[in-house]
Amino acid sequence: MTLPPELPLAEQRQALREKLREQRQLIAEQLGPGPDANGSYPRSKTMRFLTQRSGLVATLLAEGVALLVGARYAKSMTAVMALARVVRAAAAGKSNGSTAGRANDQ
């Protein structure tokens, strides 16, 4: 950036500082999004998917194993999936019950 020589040195310095600030802001935007506002753990999208949708992950894993192992184990895998659904429903009921209990305590 070329500044006219008739500008006082202080104004030239201020103009250069403003230009550097703008360039740094542009570079920060190009590098990607900043940290999450909530700073939650885990930061990885894959880990968030795995931890927040554990029932879906268990079902997908069971389906994948059933496909890899073969048809003769399909019955046992169906039983495992049914058991996984029961456990998931029990866990969901337990978490809902504990939340309601805390609300009643307050």
Side-chain angles (χ1 to χ4, degrees):
M1 175 176 174
T2 307
L3 298 173
E6 62 270 357
L7 284 177
L9 187 58
E11 289 181 20
Q12 289 179 14
R13 187 179 308 128
Q14 185 62 31
L16 285 173
R17 284 182 178 160
E18 181 63 27
K19 183 70 174 172
L20 283 172
R21 188 191 63 75
E22 291 171 2
Q23 288 175 348
R24 287 178 182 146
Q25 185 176 4
L26 179 65
I27 290 169
E29 290 172 3
Q30 289 174 348
L31 288 177
D36 290 340
N38 58 6
S40 64
Y41 174 83
R43 291 183 296 265
S44 162
K45 289 182 181 181
T46 303
M47 285 305 295
R48 283 187 188 175
F49 175 78
L50 293 174
T51 58
Q52 293 174 358
R53 294 178 176 87
S54 58
L56 176 62
V57 171
T59 303
L60 289 174
L61 184 62
E63 290 285 340
V65 169
L67 286 173
L68 292 175
V69 172
R72 71 179 181 185
Y73 294 107
K75 281 188 175 182
S76 63
M77 292 311 297
T78 303
V80 168
M81 287 179 13
L83 180 62
R85 287 187 188 114
V86 169
V87 169
R88 183 178 44 190
K94 184 177 179 182
S95 66
N96 289 340
S98 64
T99 314
R102 279 190 242 142
N104 291 336
D105 291 342
Q106 295 176 354

